PDB file of all heavy atoms in Angstrom:
ATOM      1  N   LEU A 282     -17.196   0.771  20.180  1.00  0.00           N
ATOM      2  CA  LEU A 282     -17.993  -0.377  20.605  1.00  0.00           C
ATOM      3  C   LEU A 282     -18.274  -0.333  22.099  1.00  0.00           C
ATOM      4  O   LEU A 282     -19.401  -0.623  22.553  1.00  0.00           O
ATOM      5  CB  LEU A 282     -17.269  -1.679  20.245  1.00  0.00           C
ATOM      6  CG  LEU A 282     -17.040  -1.953  18.750  1.00  0.00           C
ATOM      7  CD1 LEU A 282     -16.218  -3.222  18.570  1.00  0.00           C
ATOM      8  CD2 LEU A 282     -18.364  -2.064  17.995  1.00  0.00           C
ATOM      9  N   LYS A 283     -17.293   0.065  22.884  1.00  0.00           N
ATOM     10  CA  LYS A 283     -17.469   0.134  24.338  1.00  0.00           C
ATOM     11  C   LYS A 283     -18.395   1.277  24.725  1.00  0.00           C
ATOM     12  O   LYS A 283     -19.162   1.166  25.694  1.00  0.00           O
ATOM     13  CB  LYS A 283     -16.109   0.273  25.011  1.00  0.00           C
ATOM     14  CG  LYS A 283     -15.261  -0.992  24.919  1.00  0.00           C
ATOM     15  CD  LYS A 283     -13.843  -0.777  25.437  1.00  0.00           C
ATOM     16  CE  LYS A 283     -13.019  -2.062  25.278  1.00  0.00           C
ATOM     17  NZ  LYS A 283     -11.593  -1.856  25.662  1.00  0.00           N
ATOM     18  N   GLN A 284     -18.343   2.380  23.972  1.00  0.00           N
ATOM     19  CA  GLN A 284     -19.237   3.507  24.244  1.00  0.00           C
ATOM     20  C   GLN A 284     -20.701   3.094  24.159  1.00  0.00           C
ATOM     21  O   GLN A 284     -21.560   3.636  24.853  1.00  0.00           O
ATOM     22  CB  GLN A 284     -18.972   4.648  23.259  1.00  0.00           C
ATOM     23  CG  GLN A 284     -17.702   5.433  23.518  1.00  0.00           C
ATOM     24  CD  GLN A 284     -17.419   6.441  22.407  1.00  0.00           C
ATOM     25  OE1 GLN A 284     -18.176   6.555  21.439  1.00  0.00           O
ATOM     26  NE2 GLN A 284     -16.316   7.176  22.548  1.00  0.00           N
ATOM     27  N   HIS A 285     -20.971   2.113  23.291  1.00  0.00           N
ATOM     28  CA  HIS A 285     -22.348   1.650  23.099  1.00  0.00           C
ATOM     29  C   HIS A 285     -22.716   0.492  24.020  1.00  0.00           C
ATOM     30  O   HIS A 285     -23.799  -0.094  23.886  1.00  0.00           O
ATOM     31  CB  HIS A 285     -22.555   1.263  21.637  1.00  0.00           C
ATOM     32  CG  HIS A 285     -22.598   2.451  20.710  1.00  0.00           C
ATOM     33  ND1 HIS A 285     -23.768   3.096  20.371  1.00  0.00           N
ATOM     34  CD2 HIS A 285     -21.610   3.125  20.084  1.00  0.00           C
ATOM     35  CE1 HIS A 285     -23.495   4.100  19.562  1.00  0.00           C
ATOM     36  NE2 HIS A 285     -22.186   4.145  19.370  1.00  0.00           N
ATOM     37  N   GLY A 286     -21.827   0.179  24.945  1.00  0.00           N
ATOM     38  CA  GLY A 286     -22.137  -0.805  25.962  1.00  0.00           C
ATOM     39  C   GLY A 286     -22.335  -2.216  25.446  1.00  0.00           C
ATOM     40  O   GLY A 286     -23.120  -2.989  26.018  1.00  0.00           O
ATOM     41  N   LEU A 287     -21.620  -2.584  24.398  1.00  0.00           N
ATOM     42  CA  LEU A 287     -21.802  -3.897  23.797  1.00  0.00           C
ATOM     43  C   LEU A 287     -21.009  -4.969  24.546  1.00  0.00           C
ATOM     44  O   LEU A 287     -19.911  -4.716  25.056  1.00  0.00           O
ATOM     45  CB  LEU A 287     -21.341  -3.875  22.337  1.00  0.00           C
ATOM     46  CG  LEU A 287     -22.037  -2.873  21.410  1.00  0.00           C
ATOM     47  CD1 LEU A 287     -21.436  -2.957  20.013  1.00  0.00           C
ATOM     48  CD2 LEU A 287     -23.536  -3.123  21.371  1.00  0.00           C
ATOM     49  N   THR A 288     -21.581  -6.152  24.583  1.00  0.00           N
ATOM     50  CA  THR A 288     -20.841  -7.343  24.993  1.00  0.00           C
ATOM     51  C   THR A 288     -20.405  -8.038  23.715  1.00  0.00           C
ATOM     52  O   THR A 288     -21.255  -8.467  22.927  1.00  0.00           O
ATOM     53  CB  THR A 288     -21.722  -8.276  25.829  1.00  0.00           C
ATOM     54  OG1 THR A 288     -22.199  -7.572  26.991  1.00  0.00           O
ATOM     55  CG2 THR A 288     -20.928  -9.506  26.274  1.00  0.00           C
ATOM     56  N   TYR A 289     -19.108  -8.136  23.504  1.00  0.00           N
ATOM     57  CA  TYR A 289     -18.653  -8.569  22.181  1.00  0.00           C
ATOM     58  C   TYR A 289     -17.316  -9.287  22.244  1.00  0.00           C
ATOM     59  O   TYR A 289     -16.569  -9.195  23.227  1.00  0.00           O
ATOM     60  CB  TYR A 289     -18.538  -7.367  21.241  1.00  0.00           C
ATOM     61  CG  TYR A 289     -17.422  -6.410  21.590  1.00  0.00           C
ATOM     62  CD1 TYR A 289     -16.135  -6.562  21.046  1.00  0.00           C
ATOM     63  CD2 TYR A 289     -17.628  -5.357  22.482  1.00  0.00           C
ATOM     64  CE1 TYR A 289     -15.116  -5.695  21.372  1.00  0.00           C
ATOM     65  CE2 TYR A 289     -16.610  -4.479  22.813  1.00  0.00           C
ATOM     66  CZ  TYR A 289     -15.353  -4.652  22.260  1.00  0.00           C
ATOM     67  OH  TYR A 289     -14.336  -3.793  22.587  1.00  0.00           O
ATOM     68  N   GLU A 290     -17.041 -10.006  21.155  1.00  0.00           N
ATOM     69  CA  GLU A 290     -15.706 -10.502  20.838  1.00  0.00           C
ATOM     70  C   GLU A 290     -15.341  -9.913  19.486  1.00  0.00           C
ATOM     71  O   GLU A 290     -16.203  -9.736  18.621  1.00  0.00           O
ATOM     72  CB  GLU A 290     -15.689 -12.030  20.715  1.00  0.00           C
ATOM     73  CG  GLU A 290     -16.061 -12.791  21.963  1.00  0.00           C
ATOM     74  CD  GLU A 290     -16.129 -14.288  21.689  1.00  0.00           C
ATOM     75  OE1 GLU A 290     -15.717 -14.713  20.575  1.00  0.00           O
ATOM     76  OE2 GLU A 290     -16.606 -15.028  22.566  1.00  0.00           O
ATOM     77  N   ILE A 291     -14.055  -9.637  19.294  1.00  0.00           N
ATOM     78  CA  ILE A 291     -13.622  -9.150  17.976  1.00  0.00           C
ATOM     79  C   ILE A 291     -12.303  -9.820  17.611  1.00  0.00           C
ATOM     80  O   ILE A 291     -11.403  -9.966  18.449  1.00  0.00           O
ATOM     81  CB  ILE A 291     -13.504  -7.609  17.952  1.00  0.00           C
ATOM     82  CG1 ILE A 291     -13.309  -7.116  16.523  1.00  0.00           C
ATOM     83  CG2 ILE A 291     -12.417  -7.113  18.886  1.00  0.00           C
ATOM     84  CD1 ILE A 291     -13.543  -5.615  16.349  1.00  0.00           C
ATOM     85  N   HIS A 292     -12.233 -10.270  16.365  1.00  0.00           N
ATOM     86  CA  HIS A 292     -11.039 -10.952  15.859  1.00  0.00           C
ATOM     87  C   HIS A 292     -10.526 -10.163  14.653  1.00  0.00           C
ATOM     88  O   HIS A 292     -11.238 -10.017  13.659  1.00  0.00           O
ATOM     89  CB  HIS A 292     -11.371 -12.389  15.465  1.00  0.00           C
ATOM     90  CG  HIS A 292     -12.067 -13.158  16.553  1.00  0.00           C
ATOM     91  ND1 HIS A 292     -11.409 -13.638  17.652  1.00  0.00           N
ATOM     92  CD2 HIS A 292     -13.376 -13.507  16.710  1.00  0.00           C
ATOM     93  CE1 HIS A 292     -12.269 -14.261  18.448  1.00  0.00           C
ATOM     94  NE2 HIS A 292     -13.473 -14.195  17.899  1.00  0.00           N
ATOM     95  N   TRP A 293      -9.310  -9.661  14.764  1.00  0.00           N
ATOM     96  CA  TRP A 293      -8.736  -8.796  13.737  1.00  0.00           C
ATOM     97  C   TRP A 293      -7.833  -9.601  12.801  1.00  0.00           C
ATOM     98  O   TRP A 293      -7.195 -10.572  13.231  1.00  0.00           O
ATOM     99  CB  TRP A 293      -7.917  -7.676  14.372  1.00  0.00           C
ATOM    100  CG  TRP A 293      -8.728  -6.709  15.188  1.00  0.00           C
ATOM    101  CD1 TRP A 293      -8.926  -6.741  16.534  1.00  0.00           C
ATOM    102  CD2 TRP A 293      -9.427  -5.564  14.694  1.00  0.00           C
ATOM    103  NE1 TRP A 293      -9.714  -5.683  16.918  1.00  0.00           N
ATOM    104  CE2 TRP A 293     -10.040  -4.936  15.808  1.00  0.00           C
ATOM    105  CE3 TRP A 293      -9.601  -4.994  13.431  1.00  0.00           C
ATOM    106  CZ2 TRP A 293     -10.799  -3.785  15.697  1.00  0.00           C
ATOM    107  CZ3 TRP A 293     -10.362  -3.844  13.309  1.00  0.00           C
ATOM    108  CH2 TRP A 293     -10.953  -3.248  14.424  1.00  0.00           C
ATOM    109  N   ALA A 294      -7.754  -9.173  11.547  1.00  0.00           N
ATOM    110  CA  ALA A 294      -6.874  -9.817  10.563  1.00  0.00           C
ATOM    111  C   ALA A 294      -6.270  -8.730   9.664  1.00  0.00           C
ATOM    112  O   ALA A 294      -6.988  -8.068   8.897  1.00  0.00           O
ATOM    113  CB  ALA A 294      -7.639 -10.819   9.720  1.00  0.00           C
ATOM    114  N   LEU A 295      -4.967  -8.553   9.775  1.00  0.00           N
ATOM    115  CA  LEU A 295      -4.255  -7.572   8.949  1.00  0.00           C
ATOM    116  C   LEU A 295      -3.763  -8.257   7.684  1.00  0.00           C
ATOM    117  O   LEU A 295      -2.941  -9.165   7.750  1.00  0.00           O
ATOM    118  CB  LEU A 295      -3.080  -6.975   9.721  1.00  0.00           C
ATOM    119  CG  LEU A 295      -2.225  -5.958   8.969  1.00  0.00           C
ATOM    120  CD1 LEU A 295      -3.006  -4.679   8.710  1.00  0.00           C
ATOM    121  CD2 LEU A 295      -0.944  -5.662   9.738  1.00  0.00           C
ATOM    122  N   SER A 296      -4.254  -7.810   6.523  1.00  0.00           N
ATOM    123  CA  SER A 296      -3.823  -8.398   5.247  1.00  0.00           C
ATOM    124  C   SER A 296      -2.591  -7.714   4.684  1.00  0.00           C
ATOM    125  O   SER A 296      -1.844  -8.321   3.919  1.00  0.00           O
ATOM    126  CB  SER A 296      -4.963  -8.314   4.225  1.00  0.00           C
ATOM    127  OG  SER A 296      -6.068  -9.053   4.661  1.00  0.00           O
ATOM    128  N   GLY A 297      -2.407  -6.454   5.018  1.00  0.00           N
ATOM    129  CA  GLY A 297      -1.237  -5.750   4.497  1.00  0.00           C
ATOM    130  C   GLY A 297      -1.181  -4.324   4.984  1.00  0.00           C
ATOM    131  O   GLY A 297      -2.223  -3.690   5.207  1.00  0.00           O
ATOM    132  N   GLN A 298       0.034  -3.832   5.174  1.00  0.00           N
ATOM    133  CA  GLN A 298       0.252  -2.438   5.546  1.00  0.00           C
ATOM    134  C   GLN A 298       0.256  -1.561   4.294  1.00  0.00           C
ATOM    135  O   GLN A 298       0.593  -2.023   3.204  1.00  0.00           O
ATOM    136  CB  GLN A 298       1.592  -2.291   6.272  1.00  0.00           C
ATOM    137  CG  GLN A 298       1.699  -3.034   7.574  1.00  0.00           C
ATOM    138  CD  GLN A 298       0.961  -2.355   8.719  1.00  0.00           C
ATOM    139  OE1 GLN A 298       0.274  -1.361   8.523  1.00  0.00           O
ATOM    140  NE2 GLN A 298       1.104  -2.912   9.919  1.00  0.00           N
ATOM    141  N   PRO A 299      -0.097  -0.297   4.428  1.00  0.00           N
ATOM    142  CA  PRO A 299       0.022   0.597   3.271  1.00  0.00           C
ATOM    143  C   PRO A 299       1.480   0.839   2.930  1.00  0.00           C
ATOM    144  O   PRO A 299       2.349   0.799   3.808  1.00  0.00           O
ATOM    145  CB  PRO A 299      -0.644   1.888   3.759  1.00  0.00           C
ATOM    146  CG  PRO A 299      -0.506   1.854   5.244  1.00  0.00           C
ATOM    147  CD  PRO A 299      -0.572   0.405   5.633  1.00  0.00           C
ATOM    148  N   PHE A 300       1.753   1.036   1.646  1.00  0.00           N
ATOM    149  CA  PHE A 300       3.117   1.361   1.234  1.00  0.00           C
ATOM    150  C   PHE A 300       3.065   2.329   0.062  1.00  0.00           C
ATOM    151  O   PHE A 300       2.069   2.397  -0.662  1.00  0.00           O
ATOM    152  CB  PHE A 300       3.913   0.098   0.872  1.00  0.00           C
ATOM    153  CG  PHE A 300       3.371  -0.663  -0.313  1.00  0.00           C
ATOM    154  CD1 PHE A 300       3.779  -0.364  -1.610  1.00  0.00           C
ATOM    155  CD2 PHE A 300       2.460  -1.691  -0.144  1.00  0.00           C
ATOM    156  CE1 PHE A 300       3.291  -1.064  -2.701  1.00  0.00           C
ATOM    157  CE2 PHE A 300       1.964  -2.398  -1.224  1.00  0.00           C
ATOM    158  CZ  PHE A 300       2.382  -2.079  -2.509  1.00  0.00           C
ATOM    159  N   ILE A 301       4.152   3.056  -0.118  1.00  0.00           N
ATOM    160  CA  ILE A 301       4.213   4.053  -1.183  1.00  0.00           C
ATOM    161  C   ILE A 301       5.639   4.150  -1.691  1.00  0.00           C
ATOM    162  O   ILE A 301       6.599   4.045  -0.925  1.00  0.00           O
ATOM    163  CB  ILE A 301       3.736   5.446  -0.679  1.00  0.00           C
ATOM    164  CG1 ILE A 301       3.609   6.427  -1.838  1.00  0.00           C
ATOM    165  CG2 ILE A 301       4.635   5.985   0.409  1.00  0.00           C
ATOM    166  CD1 ILE A 301       2.436   6.156  -2.730  1.00  0.00           C
ATOM    167  N   THR A 302       5.784   4.268  -3.001  1.00  0.00           N
ATOM    168  CA  THR A 302       7.062   4.594  -3.620  1.00  0.00           C
ATOM    169  C   THR A 302       6.904   5.964  -4.250  1.00  0.00           C
ATOM    170  O   THR A 302       6.148   6.127  -5.212  1.00  0.00           O
ATOM    171  CB  THR A 302       7.450   3.571  -4.701  1.00  0.00           C
ATOM    172  OG1 THR A 302       7.641   2.294  -4.085  1.00  0.00           O
ATOM    173  CG2 THR A 302       8.738   3.981  -5.404  1.00  0.00           C
TER     174      THR A 302
END
Side-chain angles (χ1 to χ4, degrees):
L282 297 176
K283 290 173 182 175
Q284 286 173 0
H285 288 269
L287 301 178
T288 301
Y289 69 91
E290 298 175 9
I291 190 165
H292 308 285
W293 295 96
L295 179 68
S296 298
Q298 297 283 5
F300 64 89
I301 188 73
T302 296

